[in-house]
């Protein structure tokens, strides 16, 4: 009997060792950096902490590289200015095409394409107008309407020519400026995702302040649940959306804004008027590619809700959830079953629309 017990104990030990060898315990590695004007968090899961750490560092390096190429804020003469393709393009507007990095070509090709498709609701050549509002500065002011009118003449994606064959970009009118604030973060997030994926990571979440990109499932083997922020209650959520291997990107009027005489002025402008868009409080786009999701979230924020829904519905595997200015929650039908809305959120939920 003792012999049997010893044999059983041995077999059990071997089984446990084989299981442990096949399923090394999973650890989480998480890191945060300030990038592109926001805190970016990358969380990854796996068995080798050193490998996780190295992959996350590489992912951050990649995001920083893209952020530098797309930055339009640096002062002329600085190292950051010289590193930025967008600064070089803006400097040579109306003068000559500029040879740029292949990532800049990819970013601007996508931007140009969706500017066209959204009828200019998303416009990467809106820099002359966003500069005037200066939402990133300490003391934003409401510009006088005549200044806005003048700057609108120096705005418009149709001035932008991207030449893939010789890797050049030309902005054809002097004073027209690119501002990739609505799309570069998504592209950088997608590139970081690619780095993680290539290094074999199969469970991760990148959170770049409203831009979420996931790999695989969460620790429980379920889709990641992404919170949808309540636009008028800091820290509050109106609900969640489930995302597996994809992105959820939100454009909201609560990220950068100021109030004057009871009105809210925020950083997402309607390129037709030069003033902040006023149909929507937040637009969340759920799709695989983070770069596309970032562009579309801005476009859908600016468009009237019916046009935003039509744009999303017309695209393959693109979902949209809007919180409109009159406090209605509207989404593409394909999101049903993947969203949970808090019934006490205070917003009216137009189910299935
Ligand atoms: P997002 O939060 O992705 O919607 O991007 C907002 C940022 O994009 C702003 O801070 C501006 O830099 C820029 N922007 C504002 N309005 C537009 C627009 N209609 N199209 C493209 N970029 C815009
Ligand atoms: Mg955007």
């Amino acid at each position: 009997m003792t012999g049997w017990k010893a044999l059983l104990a041995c077999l059990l030990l071997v089984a446990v060792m084989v299981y442990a060898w096949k399923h090394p315990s999973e650890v989480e590695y998480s890191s945060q950096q300030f990038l592109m004007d926001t805190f970016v968090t990358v969380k990854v899961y796996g068995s080798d902490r050193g490998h996780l750490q190295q992959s996350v560092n590489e992912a951050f390096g990649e995001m920083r590289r893209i952020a530098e190429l797309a930055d339009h804020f640096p002062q002329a003469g600085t190292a950051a200015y010289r590193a930025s393709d967008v600064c070089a393009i803006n400097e040579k507007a109306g003068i000559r095409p500029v040879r740029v990095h292949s990532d800049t070509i990819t970013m601007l090709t996508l931007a140009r394409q969706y500017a066209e498709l959204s009828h200019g609701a998303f416009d990467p050549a809106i820099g002359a107008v966003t500069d005037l509002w200066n939402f990133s500065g300490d003391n934003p002011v409401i510009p006088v309407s005549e200044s806005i009118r003048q700057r609108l003449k120096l705005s418009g994606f149709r001035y932008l020519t991207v030449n893939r064959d010789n890797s050049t970009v030309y902005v054809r009118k002097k004073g027209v400026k690119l501002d990739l604030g609505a799309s570069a973060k998504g592209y950088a997030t997608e590139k970081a995702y690619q780095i993680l994926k290539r290094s074999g990571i199969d469970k991760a979440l990148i959170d770049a302040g409203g831009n979420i990109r996931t790999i695989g499932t969460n620790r429980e083997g379920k889709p990641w649940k992404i919170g949808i922020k309540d636009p008028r209650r800091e820290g509050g959520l109106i609900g969640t959306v489930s995302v597996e291997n994809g992105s959820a990107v939100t454009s909201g009027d609560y990220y950068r804004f100021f109030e004057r005489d009871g009105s809210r002025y925020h950083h997402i402008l309607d390129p037709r008027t030069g003033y902040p868009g006023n149909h929507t409080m937040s637009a969340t786009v759920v799709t695989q590619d983070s770069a596309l999701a970032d562009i579309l979230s801005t476009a859908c924020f600016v468009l009237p809700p019916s046009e935003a829904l039509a744009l999303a519905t017309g695209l393959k595997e693109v979902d949209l959830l809007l919180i409109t200015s009159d406090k209605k929650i509207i989404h593409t039908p394909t999101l049903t079953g993947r969203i949970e809305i808090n019934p006490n959120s205070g917003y009216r939920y137009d189910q299935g629309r």
Side-chain angles (χ1 to χ4, degrees):
M1 282 298 272
T2 342
W4 270 110
K5 275 188 182 166
L7 184 63
L8 262 176
C10 276
L11 283 174
L12 200 65
L13 186 67
V14 170
V16 168
M17 281 167 70
V18 168
Y19 183 85
W21 177 67
K22 283 199 154 182
H23 300 86
S25 67
E26 191 180 72
V27 290
E28 176 186 296
Y29 176 77
S30 171
S31 179
Q32 192 178 64
Q33 289 190 17
F34 191 75
L35 262 175
M36 296 174 288
D37 222 19
T38 191
F39 282 102
V40 179
T41 305
V42 180
K43 245 187 231 176
V44 291
Y45 299 85
S47 55
D48 179 345
R49 195 179 163 80
H51 173 65
L52 295 179
Q53 188 170 359
Q54 192 192 335
S55 309
V56 170
N57 284 345
E58 279 174 30
F60 273 122
E62 182 69 350
M63 288 184 102
R64 197 169 291 281
R65 188 177 69 80
I66 301 298
E68 283 170 4
L69 288 175
D71 197 353
H72 72 284
F73 291 118
Q75 290 294 314
T78 61
Y81 187 89
R82 284 189 295 276
S84 164
D85 273 350
V86 165
C87 287
I89 296 164
N90 289 346
E91 186 184 292
K92 296 291 182 251
I95 301 171
R96 64 168 170 80
V98 178
R99 182 175 285 274
V100 293
H101 195 278
S102 63
D103 281 304
T104 308
I105 293 286
T106 309
M107 262 189 279
L108 289 177
T109 303
L110 200 68
R112 184 71 172 73
Q113 183 187 346
Y114 283 90
E116 194 97 48
L117 199 70
S118 68
H119 305 292
F122 161 82
D123 193 329
I126 199 177
V129 189
T130 53
D131 270 5
L132 194 61
W133 282 91
N134 190 25
F135 277 101
S136 46
D138 290 335
N139 271 321
V141 287
I142 307 166
V144 292
S145 56
E146 179 54 21
S147 308
I148 293 181
R149 222 173 55 80
Q150 291 304 325
R151 291 291 180 99
L152 280 174
K153 292 183 190 159
L154 296 174
S155 161
F157 67 92
R158 290 204 166 78
Y159 293 116
L160 169 66
T161 305
V162 184
N163 188 326
R164 266 187 174 282
D165 296 333
N166 54 17
S167 292
T168 60
V169 176
Y170 186 36
V171 170
R172 292 195 314 279
K173 189 171 179 175
K174 196 170 171 56
V176 175
K177 280 185 174 177
L178 299 183
D179 170 353
L180 298 191
S183 57
K185 204 159 48 157
Y187 185 77
T189 305
E190 192 64 16
K191 294 288 280 193
Y193 152 83
Q194 285 164 6
I195 295 270
L196 297 180
K197 192 86 184 148
R198 244 182 277 133
S199 64
I201 286 169
D202 59 7
K203 216 176 266 188
L205 184 134
I206 306 170
D207 180 350
N211 281 50
I212 307 280
R213 180 54 157 121
T214 68
I215 301 181
T217 58
N218 67 13
R219 260 188 139 162
E220 289 79 48
K222 304 215 172 93
W224 297 91
K225 275 198 176 170
I226 311 299
I228 302 161
K229 291 196 172 92
D230 183 331
R232 294 293 176 269
R233 203 161 47 91
E234 211 180 327
L237 296 180
I238 64 128
T240 59
V241 57
S242 295
V243 177
E244 192 178 327
N245 280 322
S247 305
V249 176
T250 299
S251 285
D253 66 2
Y254 50 89
Y255 282 107
R256 253 176 270 156
F257 69 95
F258 63 89
E259 276 167 351
R260 287 288 136 78
D261 305 326
S263 293
R264 169 185 288 250
Y265 296 88
H266 62 81
H267 68 305
I268 309 174
L269 306 179
D270 183 335
R272 279 170 303 187
T273 64
Y275 284 86
N278 58 8
H279 301 292
T280 300
M281 295 189 206
S282 104
T284 301
V285 169
V286 183
T287 193
Q288 186 117 22
D289 186 305
S290 206
L292 179 60
D294 196 4
I295 288 176
L296 288 176
S297 70
T298 307
C300 291
F301 180 98
V302 170
L303 287 168
S306 59
E307 289 178 38
L309 276 176
L311 175 65
T313 312
L315 294 166
K316 245 169 89 189
E317 290 171 15
V318 171
D319 280 309
L320 171 67
L321 185 142
L322 295 173
I323 306 177
T324 63
S325 299
D326 55 354
K327 300 195 108 191
K328 269 194 286 186
I329 298 173
I330 310 174
H331 63 80
T332 46
T334 36
L335 263 190
T336 311
R338 291 167 60 202
I339 49 173
E340 281 171 36
I341 301 292
N342 170 6
N344 304 318
S345 67
Y347 296 85
R348 269 186 304 130
Y349 183 33
D350 284 9
Q351 196 157 13
R353 276 193 50 194

